[in-house]
Amino acid sequence: MAHLESMRYRKQPGGNVGHDEATVISGMSSVAAGTPTTLDSDDAYGADGAAGLHSDLGYSYEKKDLDFSSGNSNTLAPFAAGDRQHQRFCISRNQWIALGFIVLAAAYVRLWRLSNPAQVVFDEVHFGKFAGKYLNGTYFFDVHPPLAKMMFAAAGKLAGYDGVFDFKSIGLDYIAANVPYIGMRLMPALLGLSMVPITYITLAALGHAADACALGALLVCFENALLTQSRLILLDSSLIFFTGLTVMFWALFFTESHRPFGNRWWGYLMLTGVNLGNALSCKWVGLFLIATIGVWTLKDLWEKLGDLSITPAQYFRHFAARAVALIVVPVVVYLFWFQVHFSVLHKSGDGNAFMSPEFQNTLDGVNLGHTPRDVYFGSRVRIRHDATNAGYLHSHLSNYETGSKQQQVTLYGFRDDNNYWVLTRTEADEEAYQNSTKSHELQQIKNGDTVRLLHWRTHRRLHSHNERPPVTTNDYQNEVSGYGWEGFNGDSNDHWRVQILEGDPSIPDSKKNLMAIHSKFRLIHINQRCALFSNRKKLPKWAHEQVEVSCMKSAKFPKTLWRVESNINENIPAKAPLAEYRRPSLIEKVLEATAVMWRVNNGLTKSHPYESRPHTWPWMRRGMAFWGSDNRSIYLLGTPIVWWLSFAAVILFAGVQVVMFFRDRRGFHDRLLGARERYMESVGFSSVGWVLHWVPFFLMGRQLFLHHYLPALWLAILALVGSLDLFTRRLSRKVRQVIMFALLLATVRMYFQYSHIAYGSPWTRQGCERSKWFKSWDYDCFRFPELGTTTPVASGLKPNVPEVPMPTIGAPDIGGEPVAIARNKNGEAAQHVPPPAQNFDPLEHENKLNEPAPEIHQDQLNSNSAKLDLEMKKKATTVKPGNSDAAATTNEEHD
């Protein structure tokens, strides 16, 4: 990245700039200082005009770089040697003073009325609750990495939060519960405030003039979406903060490109890597930041490969330094924050059910114990589904209401006696065994053996046949049931072959012989040639909302793998080897947590009233409601002119690159107003970052929201300011400053216009309606009072109009267009009522799967036993030809 390295220079008599004091450009592209030139103060910034705001800024440009004429930009001579040409990047004293005033203004904007509203807002429901769990040390699961949540926990601890308040729903009162919410909100607000000086320093390091740096910082200061997101207990403020730090240190790193391997060079490079890891540890959107830095690193190394002044040994050092700082360091940081996360959350909690038994075994309060290792015929076992951690193979005295109407077989997440099955031989094998000379010896179950599973409590056998399951009705899936009655020896549909697929590497025989915990196996139905399977689909209430088990043909391995967790056999010797779950290493725990987060993230496909798709974000087609009260509302909506012009700047960059590519092919090597190299390296970096932070969302099928665009928005603001700075330098200082001031004035005006829905402050209905430039901006203006009144009409109502019913359609079409329609008693369309603010619960589906099933009254089930026996006997005597559930004891044909 060829950033501009600011150099102090003396203004020579007559306006000449000496060769050895001229501004130079450092970074990937080799751009040299030329011979002494005279700068025309009317057309370019010289010693007094460089800053625009401050006379000692220290940015100057050579006359050839301000030339409109075409020329080969690659014919520039190398940098001349000498310390005076490569002075360090610095910001002048006057710039620091100006930045100080900007930060004070930003502090007022970002911290004003931080206590409002004194209620739970949007996803504070989740992240406030998670802070409490950190303080209590109870393990929980979330779809995001832990750093930002731990930062909220630390802020809560410092503010005096005791972890008791549960943040259960939007609108809960903080003051009544004595929650120190202001201290918890202060943390993201300060991070959002920090983005103002970060923006200024980043633009300065990219080589932009002081007036452009100030403009960029002020645009970020008055941007309403960044403001709204940073005032609440939400993760995006931390993500954007670490994104900003990463880009800032990356830009500063290139200001040291002429002093490779120096202390500052290493410091900036390592800090870039550390903050890459921090961004990734907040949200996985940090992967897009890693891609951005990675692309520019490859560009940097590619250009160094063609630099003949760099020896192979030096090139290897450059490569190794970047590999360590930008790959190894972020990984180490990511692992470090997970280690802190696991160390703090050391107690058993509601997140256990998401994790494997090995993982759970590391938590206080979980004691899975040990069990005899070798599994024999006649053993009573408890079998756990390995892939989903949804529970144990289970049955009880309750029948299906569909299909065969035989006894239910399910997955149940809690331990009870209905999880036990006795492993027995087939009828023929049992007879042969009894007639052999080894009938008194234990026989261990081996890979390929055929077994029957007898339910220990109900004495029915695990059975499958050509019936569809109650929920998954695909032709390639069969129902699994409990079948049989007293005196019935079973049939061939009770036969299952043990297929051991995985074993413990430390115990080689665990792939040959069935061993508790160590062996992962499939149960293949002999007749149907299907595998015992589960995919976490819940059964209806008549099946006690437990998880469905089926027999699937051509099933993938992971969801057909099972493990014996408990093994009981009275004949096993007392000194027999035992098995227990091992404790995984940090890396194994992180990989497991990451895999579960990935799975849950990919499953977030449920509709939300305020979801939106990526193509609607750059032009801000629709915002999203965070919170609402009688006459106040918080609605995420950006500052329109900033969003639209920043998007236009990125599109302009792409268009300019296409045009110049074809002109270069025709031999016209345009200088682009003398700013071609700077434009590519500054605006190009921001634009590439914007693309890499926006385009990947098109590949996602999960729920998406407008706030996912905010990191890309910040990069687009850098592109906007960079473009404006570079393309107005040939204008007079007054014209340039008028353009910048007009943009700033429009931004501030829009900030005030939309500040009511950013701060949740009172507004008037007329002002609200005037602010709606698009119908798709569906914040509710009817909750605000009319001008001259103090009491608002109820939301969604006009004066003297009956109350409008709730919308019949709560979710928008893809793209975010609100479609909720309410109608009055005459069937006429009434005033549109936007959907109310709703928090987004990424674990709603998973928590329903993991929540305890309704209590089963065993005595009541036992009373059904005789009735169920009669029903199965009756069905067996009327079975259709070719349907192989046995009729009495004679019919053993398979389905």
Side-chain angles (χ1 to χ4, degrees), residues 352-413:
N352 292 22
F354 291 91
M355 314 311 294
S356 69
E358 288 88 348
F359 189 104
Q360 295 180 37
N361 207 31
T362 64
L363 300 173
D364 296 346
V366 176
N367 183 15
L368 298 178
H370 49 71
T371 190
R373 186 190 69 182
D374 298 328
V375 180
Y376 301 96
F377 283 104
S379 292
R380 174 158 50 97
V381 297
R382 186 168 56 222
I383 302 175
R384 173 187 283 272
H385 192 237
D386 187 67
T388 63
N389 294 316
Y392 304 95
L393 188 65
H394 177 95
S395 189
H396 45 244
L397 282 170
S398 186
N399 283 12
Y400 292 119
E401 293 189 2
T402 62
S404 69
K405 299 188 178 180
Q406 295 173 6
Q407 184 168 297
Q408 298 168 10
V409 173
T410 65
L411 281 188
Y412 185 58

Side-chain angles (χ1 to χ4, degrees), residues 4 22-25 31-34 37 39 44 60-69 72-73 76 670-678 726 729-730:
L4 305 181
T23 298
V24 297
I25 303 172
V31 184
T37 57
L39 299 180
S60 65
Y61 305 91
E62 300 175 20
K63 192 168 185 178
K64 69 184 181 64
D65 286 333
L66 298 171
D67 191 2
F68 286 107
S69 62
N72 191 338
S73 62
L76 302 173
D670 301 292
R671 298 288 300 145
L672 198 61
L673 306 183
R676 181 168 182 175
E677 290 80 13
R678 300 170 180 81
L726 294 174
R729 285 183 172 177
R730 285 193 59 98

Side-chain angles (χ1 to χ4, degrees), residues 309-554:
S309 67
I310 298 177
T311 66
Q314 290 174 327
Y315 185 84
F316 177 77
R317 290 183 67 193
H318 278 286
F319 179 87
R322 287 158 175 78
V324 170
L326 303 179
I327 298 176
V328 176
V329 170
V331 171
V332 170
V333 170
Y334 186 77
L335 293 175
F336 170 77
W337 289 123
F338 263 102
Q339 176 61 46
V340 176
H341 169 74
F342 294 141
S343 298
V344 174
L345 301 179
H346 59 91
K347 300 178 185 177
S348 175
D350 55 17
N352 292 22
F354 291 91
M355 314 311 294
S356 69
E358 288 88 348
F359 189 104
Q360 295 180 37
N361 207 31
T362 64
L363 300 173
D364 296 346
V366 176
N367 183 15
L368 298 178
H370 49 71
T371 190
R373 186 190 69 182
D374 298 328
V375 180
Y376 301 96
F377 283 104
S379 292
R380 174 158 50 97
V381 297
R382 186 168 56 222
I383 302 175
R384 173 187 283 272
H385 192 237
D386 187 67
T388 63
N389 294 316
Y392 304 95
L393 188 65
H394 177 95
S395 189
H396 45 244
L397 282 170
S398 186
N399 283 12
Y400 292 119
E401 293 189 2
T402 62
S404 69
K405 299 188 178 180
Q406 295 173 6
Q407 184 168 297
Q408 298 168 10
V409 173
T410 65
L411 281 188
Y412 185 58
F414 298 86
R415 298 178 181 179
D416 67 13
D417 288 346
N418 280 322
N419 297 336
Y420 281 108
W421 301 80
V422 180
L423 299 173
T424 65
R425 302 175 183 84
T426 64
E427 304 93 315
D429 290 345
E430 180 66 27
E431 182 177 355
Y433 174 74
Q434 293 298 334
N435 294 330
S436 70
T437 58
K438 299 181 179 181
S439 59
H440 62 285
E441 297 179 3
L442 288 171
Q443 182 183 358
Q444 188 170 2
I445 299 175
K446 296 179 172 57
N447 182 39
D449 284 351
T450 301
V451 300
R452 296 190 294 174
L453 289 84
L454 179 69
H455 191 245
W456 185 60
R457 286 293 300 269
T458 65
H459 305 290
R460 308 195 196 282
R461 293 181 176 85
L462 188 70
H463 186 91
S464 187
H465 42 211
N466 191 21
E467 294 278 358
R468 301 288 75 76
V471 176
T472 309
T473 58
N474 300 316
D475 290 340
Y476 49 82
Q477 287 190 299
N478 292 341
E479 177 191 84
V480 174
S481 63
Y483 185 67
W485 52 87
E486 186 177 356
F488 175 55
N489 292 327
D491 62 25
S492 62
N493 278 336
D494 304 334
H495 295 180
W496 302 82
R497 185 176 71 254
V498 176
Q499 184 183 43
I500 302 175
L501 294 182
E502 296 181 21
D504 190 330
S506 64
I507 307 176
D509 286 347
S510 59
K511 284 198 69 174
K512 301 177 182 178
N513 303 324
L514 184 61
M515 297 183 182
I517 296 177
H518 301 304
S519 300
K520 296 182 180 182
F521 62 94
R522 305 172 86 196
L523 289 173
I524 307 296
H525 194 263
I526 297 295
N527 290 342
Q528 296 295 323
R529 298 181 181 179
C530 55
L532 195 66
F533 170 89
S534 181
N535 60 355
R536 298 178 66 87
K537 290 192 175 181
K538 272 208 167 186
L539 292 164
K541 288 186 178 181
W542 52 258
H544 312 287
E545 297 182 291
Q546 295 179 5
V547 178
E548 182 183 62
V549 172
S550 64
C551 193
M552 186 174 181
K553 299 175 182 177
S554 302

Side-chain angles (χ1 to χ4, degrees), residues 738-759:
V738 165
I739 294 173
M740 291 188 174
F741 184 76
L743 174 57
L744 178 60
L745 185 64
T747 300
V748 173
R749 183 187 181 281
M750 292 182 184
Y751 153 75
F752 281 109
Q753 183 176 19
Y754 295 101
S755 64
H756 304 279
I757 53 176
Y759 294 113

Side-chain angles (χ1 to χ4, degrees), residues 159 161-162 165-167 173-184:
Y161 174 48
D162 57 9
F165 185 73
D166 61 2
F167 295 84
D173 195 308
Y174 284 133
I175 296 176
N178 197 29
V179 179
Y181 70 101
I182 298 177
M184 297 179 73

